């Protein structure tokens, strides 16, 4: 096995393609090595603390070198998509955030957004800005969990405590808004389930003041840390063309030098009205993925601040669309209005109808392109729901990234792809 | 009159809900895929979604109940039936959601229709990322992809029976084996 040569920024990450053939996701040990009889096949996972859940990797080892690899998934398959076909549209919403339980808000939005695209319903500005704010808070939350666990796996235990300290602050904000720390079910088709509670804006401001300092702390601990550099630099290489061919998205794609972000390329919500930078790094290794995550957290804080600037002037504005065929009527009307009572009863028992058709609605989740395909027959329940899970696709790149890797690098590489098994297996 | 008239095997191009759908013949799928990647710049395969349209439009579309004839005033609880959706070409649709990562981002849905048991060519040579997407469609929906090098179950156990996302898959729970039975 050859050692990886040090690389400079701007140079090609590697020549040609490294995607295994004919099966792009399986790395096969070369027959010459297999003939030596010194190949040890190891089952890594599914119950290993650094596999981010229940990922199983069947690894061929020649000494410490990884010579063959196949990822085995499905241990967390729970049939979310099938279940959603048997729920009314609005009862299906809580399923979505439970798939990727780390970026729950993004998952919730992608389903709600897809349904709204079919319904062609207008969302009031307050809901648009509040959703943008929560999605970005959730992005910081997801990146914090990533940096905490990935660093922990490489031995930087203190990072875990620091990252989870700020994560608690974000979860407290979610609890303030929705009464739930995770899986908030705060997004309703048409807007938000409730108005923004008093005290949320000042608390979020406090967090925005604090967070950049916390990121400075993380960077002090890691960015120039010699051990961190040696564990992550030049590891898990993925070139620009291979990343696109393998369908990689999000931080993995941007760490391979592709300047691509759906928030900018196909803006949804209020992203065309906020100012943010898309961090791109050219080296395509684990370290570049780390840098992308760090830079994205800083940008997310900026977006949250811009959302707050708008939201603070929207006191008293509606937070959900005024469409009684889709949206539950205000609670107080149920005591005085027969119409409202009927609408409430019909929506809760029968569900609202969504026009016939099929849509694919993609957003930039913390892990990359999260898409939701929704098909309706015109009735109150989805005909078919399918999620394009970025983690699922990220795991397809393991065989390519793991070429010439050592077994110890495997932890760093799998960690850097930032997968959540709940979303992989659905 | 669209950009996609030159796609090999094109049957029709549908514009709905702000999205373009190119329907192609199953036999021409890989040629169409290659054409879209090389000539039209769709270098990124986002997703492959298989849909089962068995009994599409037969159950009544509004509420949990309804009659095909629509609202019947003499039959309680049939209110709200609106319209029967148009019949589909075949039982299964396979949708390929394509994206062009470029200065001019575009999306398109490549769609092909299959009868039960009919297979379609794998698009791994065009987009390697199709590997697991096709395995998932095979596992959960029973679509077979010809020339796929590793078409095995991916999410379910290797010895699982049936394809759960099909509409005729029984969902009455798992049979329980009692210790006395043999």
């Amino acid at each position: 096995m050859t050692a990886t040569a040090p690389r400079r920024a701007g140079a090609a990450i590697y020549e040609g393609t490294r995607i295994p053939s004919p099966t792009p996701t399986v790395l096969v040990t070369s027959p010459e090595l297999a003939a030596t009889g010194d190949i040890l096949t190891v089952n890594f996972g599914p119950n290993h603390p650094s596999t981010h859940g229940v990922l199983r990797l069947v690894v061929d080892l020649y000494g410490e070198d990884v010579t063959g690899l196949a990822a085995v998934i499905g241990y967390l398959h729970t049939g979310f998509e099938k279940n959603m076909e048997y729920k009314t549209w609005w009862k299906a919403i809580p399923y979505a955030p439970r798939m990727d339980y780390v970026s729950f808000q993004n998952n919730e939005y992608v389903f709600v957004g897809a349904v709204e695209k079919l319904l062609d319903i207008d969302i009031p500005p307050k809901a648009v800005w509040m959703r943008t704010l929560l999605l970005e808070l959730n992005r910081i939350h997801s990146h914090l969990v990533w940096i905490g666990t990935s660093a922990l796996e490489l031995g930087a235990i203190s990072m875990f405590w620091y990252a989870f300290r700020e994560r608690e602050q974000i979860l407290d904000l979610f609890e303030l808004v929705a009464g739930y720390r995770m899986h908030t079910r705060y997004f309703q088709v048409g807007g938000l389930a409730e108005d923004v509670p008093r005290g949320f804006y000042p608390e979020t401001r406090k967090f925005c003041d604090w967070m950049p300092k916390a990121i400075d702390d993380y960077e002090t601990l890691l960015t120039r840390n010699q051990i961190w550099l040696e564990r992550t630099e030049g590891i898990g290489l993925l070139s620009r063309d291979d990343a696109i061919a393998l369908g990689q998205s999000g931080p993995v794609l941007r760490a391979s030098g592709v300047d691509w972000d759906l928030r900018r390329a196909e803006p949804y919500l209020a992203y065309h009205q906020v100012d943010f930078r898309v961090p791109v790094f050219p080296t395509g290794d684990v370290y570049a993925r780390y840098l992308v995550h760090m830079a994205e957290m800083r940008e997310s804080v900026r977006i949250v601040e811009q959302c707050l600037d708008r939201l603070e002037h929207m006191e008293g504005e509606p937070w959900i669309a005024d469409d009684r065929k889709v949206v539950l009527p205000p609670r107080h009307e149920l005591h005085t209005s027969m119409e409202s009572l009927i609408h409430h009863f019909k929506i809760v028992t029968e569900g609202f109808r969504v026009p016939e058709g099929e849509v694919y609605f993609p957003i930039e989740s913390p892990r990359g392109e999260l898409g939701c395909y929704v098909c309706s027959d015109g009735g109150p329940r989805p005909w078919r729901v399918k999620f394009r899970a970025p983690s699922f696709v990220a795991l397809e790149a393991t065989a390519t990234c793991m070429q010439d890797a050592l077994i110890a690098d495997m932890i760093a590489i799998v960690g850097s792809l930032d997968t959540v098994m709940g979303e992989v297996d659905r | 009159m669209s950009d996609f008239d030159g796609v090999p095997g094109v049957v029709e191009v549908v514009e709905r809900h702000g999205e373009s759908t190119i329907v192609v013949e199953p036999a021409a799928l890989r040629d169409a895929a290659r054409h879209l990647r090389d000539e039209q710049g769709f270098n990124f395969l986002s997703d492959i979604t298989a849909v089962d349209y068995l009994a599409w439009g037969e159950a009544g579309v509004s509420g949990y109940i309804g009659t095909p004839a629509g609202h019947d005033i003499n039959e309680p609880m049939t209110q709200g039936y609106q319209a029967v959706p148009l019949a589909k070409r075949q039982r299964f649709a396979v949708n390929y959601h394509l994206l062009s990562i470029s200065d001019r981002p575009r999306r398109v849905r490549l769609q092909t229709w299959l009868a039960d048991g009919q297979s379609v060519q794998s698009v791994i040579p065009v987009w390697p990322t199709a590997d697991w997407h096709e395995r998932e469609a095979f596992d959960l929906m029973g679509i077979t992809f010809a020339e796929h090098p590793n078409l095995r179950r991916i999410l379910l156990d290797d010895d699982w029976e049936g394809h759960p996302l099909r509409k005729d898959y029984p969902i009455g729970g798992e049979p329980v084996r009692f210790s006395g039975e043999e």
Side-chain angles (χ1 to χ4, degrees):
Chain A
M1 291 290 109
T2 52
T4 318
R7 285 163 312 96
R8 304 159 309 281
I13 296 165
Y14 50 78
E15 298 296 326
T17 176
R18 279 194 179 189
I19 301 174
S21 181
T23 312
T25 53
V26 178
L27 188 60
V28 182
T29 307
S30 67
E32 301 90 74
L33 270 177
T36 62
D38 287 337
I39 297 292
L40 178 69
T41 303
V42 177
N43 260 318
F44 180 80
N47 293 314
H48 188 278
S50 57
T51 53
H52 291 248
V54 281
L55 170 65
R56 175 171 153 225
L57 296 166
V58 183
V59 197
D60 287 350
L61 293 174
Y62 180 74
E64 278 192 59
D65 292 320
V66 174
T67 60
L69 179 130
V72 182
I73 62 171
Y75 293 94
L76 212 52
H77 180 63
T78 34
F80 281 106
E81 289 164 1
K82 184 78 173 176
N83 269 322
M84 287 168 90
E85 289 174 14
Y86 291 87
K87 298 283 180 284
T88 54
W89 290 98
W90 76 293
K91 285 174 186 167
I93 297 174
Y95 282 91
R98 280 158 178 79
M99 287 186 306
D100 181 352
Y101 38 81
V102 179
S103 62
F104 41 89
Q105 208 87 64
N106 279 271
N107 277 251
E108 191 169 309
Y109 174 64
V110 77
F111 178 65
V112 170
V115 178
E116 284 168 356
K117 189 173 177 183
L118 262 180
L119 279 167
D120 200 14
I121 188 172
D122 280 331
I123 315 300
K126 187 173 185 177
V128 170
W129 285 95
M130 188 64 186
R131 284 177 174 188
T132 315
L133 188 154
L134 290 177
L135 291 195
E136 289 308 313
L137 275 183
N138 188 226
R139 189 180 312 277
I140 302 174
H141 168 270
S142 172
H143 284 5
L144 283 172
V145 173
W146 176 81
I147 187 64
T149 53
S150 296
L152 174 75
E153 286 156 10
L154 296 186
I157 297 173
S158 49
M159 271 311 297
F160 184 76
W161 310 122
Y162 286 121
F164 270 57
R165 181 184 62 189
E166 277 73 44
R167 175 179 179 264
E168 278 305 306
Q169 297 183 10
I170 296 178
L171 290 180
D172 286 348
L173 290 175
F174 280 126
E175 189 175 4
L176 183 60
V177 172
Y180 241 58
R181 288 155 59 82
M182 296 164 79
H183 317 313
T184 51
R185 210 226 175 272
Y186 184 58
F187 297 158
Q188 183 71 278
V189 173
L192 308 172
E194 294 278 346
D195 198 1
V196 183
R198 226 175 308 152
F200 175 72
Y201 301 142
E203 288 298 318
T204 313
R205 282 267 179 227
K206 270 189 230 162
F207 173 77
C208 289
D209 292 340
W210 166 256
M211 193 61 207
K213 293 180 209 140
I215 303 173
D216 288 343
D217 280 354
Y218 309 153
E219 296 230 49
T220 314
L221 279 168
L222 289 180
T223 304
R224 299 260 162 269
N225 182 328
Q226 191 61 32
I227 304 172
W228 182 253
L229 286 169
E230 285 182 17
R231 288 303 300 275
T232 57
E233 266 193 319
I235 305 290
L237 298 180
L238 196 60
S239 77
R240 185 195 152 86
D241 292 343
D242 280 0
I244 292 178
L246 283 169
Q248 300 303 303
S249 50
V252 179
L253 191 62
R254 289 191 279 278
S256 291
V258 184
D259 190 4
W260 179 259
D261 191 319
L262 288 176
R263 289 177 291 171
R264 193 190 54 198
E266 300 176 331
Y268 50 95
L269 291 179
Y271 284 112
H272 59 292
Q273 296 179 61
V274 292
D275 173 42
F276 65 101
R277 214 167 47 83
V278 176
V280 180
F281 291 87
T283 50
D285 56 3
V286 175
Y287 187 62
R289 285 167 210 150
Y290 157 75
L291 292 175
V292 170
H293 280 94
M294 285 311 206
E296 279 190 11
M297 281 200 279
R298 291 188 193 277
E299 295 304 315
S300 291
V301 174
R302 283 182 54 211
I303 299 176
V304 170
E305 283 173 338
Q306 294 172 55
C307 293
L308 281 174
D309 292 342
R310 301 285 189 118
L311 281 165
E312 282 170 347
H313 299 289
M314 292 186 180
E315 209 59 53
E317 286 189 23
W319 64 87
I320 192 158
D322 186 22
D323 184 337
R324 289 296 162 85
K325 294 290 179 196
V326 175
V327 170
L328 288 180
R331 185 78 211 170
H332 63 86
E333 282 187 17
L334 299 189
H335 305 296
T336 50
S337 159
M338 192 63 203
E339 285 285 302
S340 294
L341 194 64
I342 292 169
H343 281 307
H344 189 280
F345 182 74
K346 292 288 269 187
I347 290 176
V348 172
T349 55
E350 269 186 18
F352 54 80
R353 286 172 217 121
V354 171
E356 187 223 331
E358 51 186 346
V359 290
Y360 178 75
F361 183 70
I363 67 166
E364 184 78 26
S365 98
R367 265 155 267 285
E369 179 177 328
L370 170 66
C372 183
Y373 169 89
V374 159
C375 175
S376 169
D377 64 349
R381 290 179 292 170
W383 183 264
R384 172 88 163 99
V385 185
K386 166 86 200 296
F387 288 90
R388 190 266 186 202
S391 303
F392 179 80
V393 183
L395 279 180
E396 288 190 290
T398 43
T400 308
C401 288
M402 217 77 89
Q403 301 204 6
D404 302 337
L406 300 172
I407 178 111
D409 296 339
M410 197 164 76
I411 313 286
I413 295 167
V414 172
S416 76
L417 295 173
D418 193 7
T419 56
V420 167
M421 293 312 288
E423 189 187 47
V424 174
D425 295 340
R426 283 158 288 147
Chain B
M1 285 306 290
S2 79
D3 296 350
F4 305 118
D5 289 341
V7 176
V10 64
V11 178
E12 64 170 335
V13 179
V14 184
E15 298 280 342
R16 269 194 88 188
H17 302 289
E19 295 181 5
S20 308
T21 306
I22 311 171
V23 182
V24 297
E25 294 289 346
L29 183 86
R30 194 186 282 171
D31 292 337
R34 196 163 267 135
H35 171 90
L36 286 168
R37 185 193 65 177
D38 296 339
E39 311 292 326
Q40 309 250 11
F42 289 102
N43 50 0
F44 190 92
L45 173 69
S46 284
D47 185 38
I48 298 177
T49 303
V51 186
D52 182 1
Y53 286 103
L54 183 73
W56 169 260
E58 286 173 19
V61 287
S62 179
Y64 294 109
I65 29 187
T67 62
H71 182 117
D72 182 353
I73 202 164
N74 293 317
E75 198 175 332
M77 305 298 284
T78 59
Q79 63 274 29
Y81 195 98
Q82 286 194 318
V84 181
L86 290 176
K88 298 291 177 183
R89 292 168 186 277
Q90 293 282 356
R91 178 171 171 190
F92 293 105
V94 185
N95 301 299
Y96 299 76
H97 294 109
L98 311 182
L99 164 68
S100 164
I101 292 190
S102 62
D103 297 335
R104 192 176 151 236
R106 286 198 299 164
R107 280 186 191 275
V108 76
R109 176 184 297 117
L110 181 63
Q111 191 172 60
T112 192
W113 292 87
L114 305 173
D116 194 4
Q118 199 179 352
S119 76
V120 67
Q121 274 185 314
S122 163
V123 293
I124 291 179
V126 187
W127 298 289
T129 182
D131 184 355
W132 280 15
H133 291 300
E134 288 178 351
R135 278 179 68 186
E136 188 188 325
F138 165 71
D139 188 2
L140 302 180
M141 200 66 94
I143 311 283
T144 48
F145 294 88
E147 296 163 50
H148 189 295
N150 191 24
L151 194 65
R152 295 183 296 127
R153 290 195 180 270
I154 183 166
L155 294 177
L156 300 174
D157 293 344
D158 289 337
D159 57 353
W160 195 272
E161 282 172 26
H163 304 282
L165 276 179
R166 289 188 171 201
K167 291 287 179 187
D168 55 1
Y169 187 81
I171 53 164
E174 279 190 51
V176 181
R177 251 185 88 180
F178 293 99
S179 53
E181 277 177 40
E182 233 8 284

